[in-house]
């Protein structure tokens, strides 16, 4: 038997080299596939530091840094409003947290499914080998059986992967529903429970689950089964994913600027509520709109879509625009309402709404692209170069869009905001990659690496305040005499 390796001459590989170094399979004369064991590898050499099959430590550090940044802005944002989320327009340190999470999700998807990518590469090699040895197999009447078996196996693997993606999406969505739906009331209130009629359907983990689902499904079904040995082949392999991303951006922009937003009414909540869930009954208020293409807090299409599809009672009841000058005397921090404040200051708005989550999903596709560069490029310099060449245009595009009238807004997840945050994530990831994976300067980042490898646990316990709330549940004789964190 011989190893089924086919090298196509006369074409320059994608950035520098041959396809990913993976254990090729052999084909027996009866059409069975035999994986090569590690002992069959040439010289028994271990994967090099540029081998894409190795764990990318910089991704763990990047994810851990994002979690640490989230904890920082959540705890210190009240004391330092300048690093807290922007009240509506603009970008602050806290506004980079969500995009960084989404980029790391997309990046992880690309690395997790790289096994499928390598499997497709091997299947292509196998089919070429069948063609080269076709006469021999045809004489034995087994070439048709081999090809059919190969196609059925690939389809079966994709279906299994799709089921796993759907299951993980549902788990992540339900976890977010429990954590951010209003069931837990935070560290300052030793109570729990939520009225189902007013539960918040969407949140941070729900948005991540939506982006994960769209990116993972596209990685399973929309990647073309070809060998990547040139830039053109790289584009042909993944162009359908970028068509989906462009479609999502076009759909978002069309609805954001094209939908007519009529005047609407809402039931104002009481500002005297002591629980995280508000007390209703302060009377119905009317917000006058009748506009199209507005990006201001009261009359944008993002909020209208959520009010129609989810209902105002199921939206976030403490929107960040209450820190604007129109709604707070302590702006950019929360504070009492000004005497002439508009009625919409009391209206609900969900920063993780349906329409904005579609645009947020595009950030996962950006992370996918970063991962594809790792999978198909083995050189450190080439990876950093390609990441930078992709990130810098995103940054420039974001600032150009802002000058053209598309402002930065995390609450609306505008196209300009998506571009600058995705571009910034690529630049930061390149720096971390150079420090951690290229120069192996890892001791100072061990804690961030651990946080990145356990990001969901750290997020649930720290960012969602379950750990502080649990500690403060121990008190002496009365709830007021409890442990304070």
């Amino acid at each position: 038997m011989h190893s089924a390796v086919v090298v196509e001459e006369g074409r320059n590989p994608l950035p520098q080299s041959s396809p990913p170094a993976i254990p090729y399979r052999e084909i027996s004369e009866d059409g069975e596939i035999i994986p090569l064991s590690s002992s069959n590898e040439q010289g028994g050499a271990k994967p090099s530091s540029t081998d894409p099959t190795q764990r990318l430590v910089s991704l763990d550090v990047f994810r851990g840094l994002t979690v640490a940044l989230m904890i920082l802005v959540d705890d210190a944002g009240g004391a330092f409003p300048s690093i807290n989320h922007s009240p509506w327009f603009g970008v602050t340190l806290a506004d980079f947290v969500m995009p960084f999470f989404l980029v790391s999700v997309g990046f992880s998807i690309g690395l997790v499914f790289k096994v499928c990518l390598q499997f497709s590469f091997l299947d292509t090699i196998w089919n070429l080998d069948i063609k080269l040895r076709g006469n021999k197999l045809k004489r034995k009447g087994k070439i048709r059986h081999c090809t059919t078996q190969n196609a059925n196996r690939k389809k079966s693997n994709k279906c299994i992967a799709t089921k796993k993606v759907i299951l993980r999406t549902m788990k992540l969505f339900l976890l977010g529903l429990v954590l951010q739906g209003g069931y837990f009331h935070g560290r300052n209130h030793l109570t729990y429970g939520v009225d189902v009629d007013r539960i918040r359907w969407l949140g941070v983990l729900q948005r991540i689950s939506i982006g994960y689902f769209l990116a993972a499904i596209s990685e399973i079904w929309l990647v073309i089964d070809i060998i990547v040995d040139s830039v053109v082949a790289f584009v042909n392999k993944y162009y359908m994913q970028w068509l989906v991303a462009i479609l999502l951006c076009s759909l978002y922009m069309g609805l954001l600027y094209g939908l007519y937003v009529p005047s609407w009414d809402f039931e104002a909540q009481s500002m005297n509520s002591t629980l995280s869930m508000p007390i209703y009954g302060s009377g119905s208020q009317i917000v006058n709109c009748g506009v199209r293409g507005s990006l201001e807090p009261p009359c944008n299409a993002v909020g209208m879509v959520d009010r129609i599809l989810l209902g105002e009672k199921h939206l976030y009841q403490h929107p960040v625009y209450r820190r604007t000058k129109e709604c707070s005397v302590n702006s950019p921090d929360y504070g009492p309402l000004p005497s002439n404040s508009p009625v919409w200051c009391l209206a609900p708005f969900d920063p993780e709404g349906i329409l904005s989550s579609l645009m947020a999903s595009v950030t996962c596709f950006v992370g996918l692209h970063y991962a594809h560069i790792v999978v198909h490029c083995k050189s450190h310099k080439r990876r950093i170069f390609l990441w930078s060449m992709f990130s810098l245009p995103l940054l420039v595009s974001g600032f150009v869009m802002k000058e053209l009238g598309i402002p930065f807004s995390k609450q609306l997840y505008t196209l300009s905001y998506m571009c600058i945050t995705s571009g910034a994530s690529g630049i930061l990831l390149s720096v971390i990659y150079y420090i951690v994976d290229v120069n192996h300067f890892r001791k100072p980042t061990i804690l961030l690496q651990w946080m990145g490898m356990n990001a969901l646990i750290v997020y649930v316990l720290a960012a969602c305040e379950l750990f502080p709330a649990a500690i403060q549940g121990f008190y002496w004789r009365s709830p007021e005499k409890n442990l304070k964190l």
Side-chain angles (χ1 to χ4, degrees):
M1 292 186 293
H2 62 280
S3 179
V5 180
V6 178
V7 179
E8 186 175 356
E9 298 180 353
R11 302 183 66 180
N12 294 327
L14 176 68
Q16 70 155 71
S17 60
S18 58
I22 48 180
Y24 301 126
R25 293 176 294 180
E26 295 185 347
I27 309 173
S28 63
E29 292 186 356
D30 60 356
E32 293 297 325
I33 304 173
I34 304 175
L36 290 181
S37 62
S38 58
S39 61
N40 291 336
E41 296 177 1
Q42 186 175 0
K46 296 181 180 180
S48 64
S49 60
T50 59
D51 193 336
T53 60
Q54 286 187 317
R55 187 177 185 92
L56 203 63
V57 179
S58 55
L59 179 60
D60 292 328
V61 175
F62 176 79
R63 192 187 297 113
L65 180 62
T66 304
V67 175
L69 183 61
M70 170 179 283
I71 297 174
L72 172 65
V73 297
D74 285 347
D75 292 340
F80 303 97
S82 58
I83 68 171
N84 204 350
H85 290 290
S86 176
W88 192 252
F89 293 129
V91 177
T92 62
L93 184 63
D95 294 324
F96 286 92
V97 172
M98 173 60 75
F100 284 4
F101 262 125
L102 294 173
V103 166
S104 64
V105 168
F107 204 122
S108 300
I109 292 172
L111 296 183
V112 167
F113 285 99
K114 76 176 183 288
V115 177
C116 297
L117 298 176
Q118 293 172 351
F119 177 77
S120 299
F121 170 76
L122 292 176
D123 285 333
T124 306
I125 294 293
W126 185 52
N127 290 333
L128 290 174
D129 186 75
I130 287 178
K131 291 179 181 179
L132 294 177
R133 302 168 59 195
N135 293 333
K136 184 176 181 180
L137 292 174
K138 185 181 296 185
R139 285 196 300 267
K140 296 190 176 183
K142 296 176 181 177
I143 186 171
R144 181 177 299 177
H145 169 72
C146 294
T147 306
T148 304
Q149 186 182 40
N150 179 33
N152 292 337
R153 184 177 60 257
K154 287 192 293 185
K155 183 177 180 180
S156 176
N157 287 345
K158 289 184 177 181
C159 292
I160 293 174
T162 301
K163 292 179 181 179
K164 291 182 178 180
V165 166
I166 294 175
L167 183 61
R168 290 171 183 170
T169 301
M170 294 174 60
K171 289 180 179 179
L172 193 59
F173 191 94
L174 292 176
L175 179 61
L177 194 63
V178 172
L179 294 176
Q180 295 186 302
Y183 185 81
F184 295 102
H185 298 164
R187 67 172 68 182
N188 297 321
H189 308 285
L190 302 182
T191 58
Y192 65 93
V194 61
D195 184 353
V196 177
D197 186 49
R198 305 186 189 278
I199 192 172
R200 182 189 177 195
W201 294 119
L202 296 178
V204 173
L205 292 182
Q206 293 94 314
R207 167 170 286 182
I208 293 176
S209 69
I210 294 172
Y212 166 79
F213 175 79
L214 294 176
I217 292 299
S218 71
E219 187 73 2
I220 295 172
W221 294 100
L222 299 183
V223 174
I224 309 301
D225 188 13
I226 60 175
I227 302 174
V228 176
D229 57 356
S230 67
V231 175
V232 175
F234 182 85
V235 174
N236 289 337
K237 189 177 184 70
Y238 299 113
Y239 80 94
M240 293 187 65
Q241 289 184 334
W242 285 108
L243 289 180
V244 172
I246 294 173
L247 178 62
L248 290 174
C249 291
S250 302
L251 177 63
Y252 170 85
M253 295 295 288
L255 295 177
L256 180 65
Y257 288 98
L259 286 179
Y260 175 78
V261 181
S263 298
W264 54 283
D265 62 272
F266 68 98
E267 183 181 359
Q269 69 179 56
S270 172
M271 298 300 291
N272 297 322
S273 174
T274 57
L275 299 179
S276 63
M277 296 303 293
I279 297 176
Y280 290 82
S282 299
S284 179
Q285 303 290 338
I286 297 178
V287 180
N288 296 315
C289 290
V291 296
R292 192 189 309 271
S294 173
L295 301 185
E296 297 297 327
C299 301
N300 59 80
V302 173
M304 185 190 71
V305 170
D306 292 336
R307 291 191 296 270
I308 293 175
L309 298 182
L310 301 177
E312 67 169 80
K313 295 180 181 179
H314 298 285
L315 304 181
Y316 187 52
Q317 301 297 323
H318 305 280
V320 72
Y321 58 62
R322 290 187 181 176
R323 294 169 41 227
T324 59
K325 294 181 179 179
E326 294 87 348
C327 301
S328 173
V329 296
N330 298 330
S331 181
D333 198 2
Y334 289 102
L337 292 172
S339 57
N340 59 344
S341 62
V343 296
W344 53 261
C345 289
L346 300 177
F349 179 85
D350 207 314
E352 282 83 36
I354 297 175
L355 193 56
S356 57
S357 292
L358 292 181
M359 176 59 75
S361 301
V362 178
T363 308
C364 287
F365 284 83
V366 175
L368 265 181
H369 179 72
Y370 291 150
H372 294 159
I373 293 176
V374 172
V375 172
H376 295 289
C377 180
K378 296 190 293 182
S379 167
H380 291 315
K381 292 182 179 179
R382 292 285 184 174
R383 289 176 178 176
I384 295 175
F385 173 76
L386 292 175
W387 283 342
S388 302
M389 290 299 295
F390 183 73
S391 302
L392 290 175
L394 280 176
L395 278 172
V396 174
S397 299
F399 284 104
V400 170
M401 291 178 192
K402 180 179 181 297
E403 295 300 322
L404 294 178
I406 304 178
F408 302 143
S409 177
K410 186 263 180 186
Q411 313 305 318
L412 300 176
Y413 219 102
T414 54
L415 181 58
S416 58
Y417 168 78
M418 188 277 295
C419 287
I420 66 160
T421 52
S422 299
S425 67
I427 298 298
L428 179 59
L429 184 60
S430 300
V431 173
I432 297 176
Y433 179 81
Y434 178 78
I435 296 173
V436 175
D437 284 319
V438 177
N439 292 329
H440 300 282
F441 191 67
R442 297 179 179 178
K443 287 185 179 181
T445 62
I446 291 179
L447 178 59
L448 293 178
Q449 182 183 354
W450 178 86
M451 293 177 66
M453 296 175 67
N454 302 275
L456 184 58
I457 296 177
V458 176
Y459 171 80
V460 170
L461 294 180
C464 293
E465 299 186 341
L466 289 192
F467 179 71
I471 293 298
Q472 293 178 179
F474 293 95
Y475 58 87
W476 178 255
R477 294 183 178 179
S478 67
E480 291 76 16
K481 299 178 181 179
N482 64 342
L483 298 175
K484 298 293 184 181
L485 293 181

